[in-house]
Amino acid sequence: MEMLKTLKFLTIVLLAFFVFIYAVIIFYVYFNQVGMVFQSARLPKDFQFDYQHKFEELDIESFDGVKLNGLLFKAENSKGLVFYLHGNAGTLETWGKIAKIYTNLGYDIFILDYRSFGKSEGEIENEDQLNKDISIAYKTLTKRYAENRIIITGYSIGSGFAAILASQNNPKALILQSPYYSFTELSSSKVRFFPDFLKKFSLETYEYLPKIKVPIYIFHGMQDQLIPYENSVRLSHLLKSNGHFYPLKDQEHTGMNENSDFQNQLKIILQ
């Protein structure tokens, strides 16, 4: 009898220990999830961007007074603007290198550094905050370009924000590079034990695509190990008659802008 009581007590103690460890892990992930999603890096305020092609540096004030930094690269005889939302790592110091791919095809391209990236101020807190930042930056650019000349583009983490932005506005088109079907679902595959209701980023791309009236172009590398290719296959089923899906053979998650098959299709889209 005493042995049974002892075993019961040890079981309760062991269970309590595991619950405590689980609670500690949940607590840690909750307060550190922004850093797990975004690998931000800052640049000095006096940092000078060094690009050979013509560009203009813009500082855009967001809803809370935070200054967001972006670069507007300019093409000769511009046909319009590509409003570009980059991935979860890197700053304009490196992302600016893709600009010539777009300007060579006759489009200006604006690339925004999210808050806490590059020379952009502030700290990322949640999805709603970033959506507001992006919307304000977009509206700022619409003062220079008619919306029917703007193509919203999003790469990786930026694809979800791009889909949301396109669903709330009337651009010429939307281009998604390596998008996820649902960031909630994708993050669950990476951190299986973390409850969805505690996540600060849901980014349910599949909910927004049906709301978008303009042409949608989806590109995804078939060898993508970070955001599996199947995500875009599922999204492609939601496309309307003016939607297009382009699988990129042998393409991994990074480096899509340099992919020759992508560039060939991009040339057709931007024409």
Side-chain angles (χ1 to χ4, degrees):
M1 197 68 177
E2 287 299 322
M3 184 176 292
L4 288 174
K5 288 183 179 180
T6 301
L7 286 173
K8 186 177 180 180
F9 174 76
L10 290 175
T11 300
I12 293 172
V13 170
L14 191 60
L15 181 61
F17 173 76
F18 282 119
V19 169
F20 173 75
I21 294 298
Y22 176 73
V24 169
I25 294 174
I26 293 297
F27 182 87
Y28 176 82
V29 173
Y30 178 79
F31 286 102
N32 290 276
Q33 60 183 290
V34 172
M36 294 177 178
V37 175
F38 292 93
Q39 300 170 27
S40 61
R42 295 189 184 276
L43 294 174
K45 284 297 180 183
D46 59 353
F47 182 85
Q48 298 295 311
F49 293 103
D50 183 22
Y51 291 113
Q52 298 305 311
H53 35 303
K54 186 179 179 182
F55 71 89
E56 179 183 355
E57 185 172 354
L58 302 179
D59 284 316
I60 299 170
E61 186 172 328
S62 193
F63 67 97
D64 57 356
V66 164
K67 296 288 181 62
L68 304 173
N69 188 251
L71 294 182
L72 175 61
F73 295 88
K74 300 179 180 181
E76 295 293 333
N77 303 313
S78 174
K79 303 173 188 175
L81 175 73
V82 172
F83 184 88
Y84 198 94
L85 299 173
H86 66 62
N88 73 331
T91 68
L92 288 170
E93 181 183 13
T94 52
W95 278 102
K97 295 175 182 177
I98 70 170
K100 62 182 179 181
I101 296 168
Y102 296 84
T103 56
N104 286 346
L105 294 175
Y107 266 76
D108 297 350
I109 176 172
F110 174 76
I111 310 174
L112 176 70
D113 257 345
Y114 310 118
R115 57 174 63 207
S116 79
F117 279 74
K119 295 167 74 172
S120 289
E121 301 172 348
E123 299 291 341
I124 296 175
E125 296 176 0
N126 53 51
E127 178 180 330
D128 181 62
Q129 176 199 53
L130 285 179
N131 279 322
K132 289 180 180 178
D133 285 348
I134 291 166
S135 179
I136 289 170
Y138 181 77
K139 284 180 171 55
T140 299
L141 271 297
T142 60
K143 296 175 182 177
R144 300 190 182 203
Y145 302 85
E147 266 206 282
N148 60 8
R149 296 177 61 229
I150 300 177
I151 297 175
I152 296 173
T153 304
Y155 197 133
S156 190
I157 191 69
S159 65
F161 293 107
I164 293 170
L165 183 66
S167 73
Q168 298 170 342
N169 294 278
N170 298 289
K172 181 178 181 179
L174 170 66
I175 298 176
L176 300 179
Q177 299 176 284
S178 300
Y180 36 83
Y181 185 81
S182 159
F183 192 75
T184 299
E185 181 180 281
L186 179 67
S187 60
S188 293
S189 70
K190 310 294 184 183
V191 187
R192 298 181 184 278
F193 57 82
F194 192 66
D196 288 346
F197 74 91
L198 291 178
K199 294 176 180 176
K200 296 181 179 181
F201 305 93
S202 55
L203 295 165
E204 311 288 14
T205 308
Y206 72 92
E207 290 186 359
Y208 295 96
L209 291 200
K211 302 175 183 178
I212 299 170
K213 299 177 181 179
V214 301
I216 300 173
Y217 304 92
I218 297 177
F219 293 88
H220 212 121
M222 298 181 73
Q223 302 304 316
D224 194 327
Q225 300 299 312
L226 183 61
I227 302 178
Y229 167 73
E230 179 63 26
N231 281 265
S232 282
V233 173
R234 294 166 68 192
L235 287 175
S236 70
H237 297 154
L238 303 175
L239 295 177
K240 301 171 185 175
S241 58
N242 60 350
H244 307 271
F245 174 40
Y246 303 101
L248 297 175
K249 192 175 181 181
D250 299 324
Q251 175 65 48
E252 298 180 354
H253 186 71
T254 59
M256 183 182 294
N257 285 291
E258 291 72 34
N259 182 293
S260 59
D261 290 334
F262 168 74
Q263 291 184 11
N264 289 336
Q265 289 299 332
L266 181 66
K267 182 177 181 180
I268 295 171
I269 293 169
L270 296 188
Q271 283 179 341

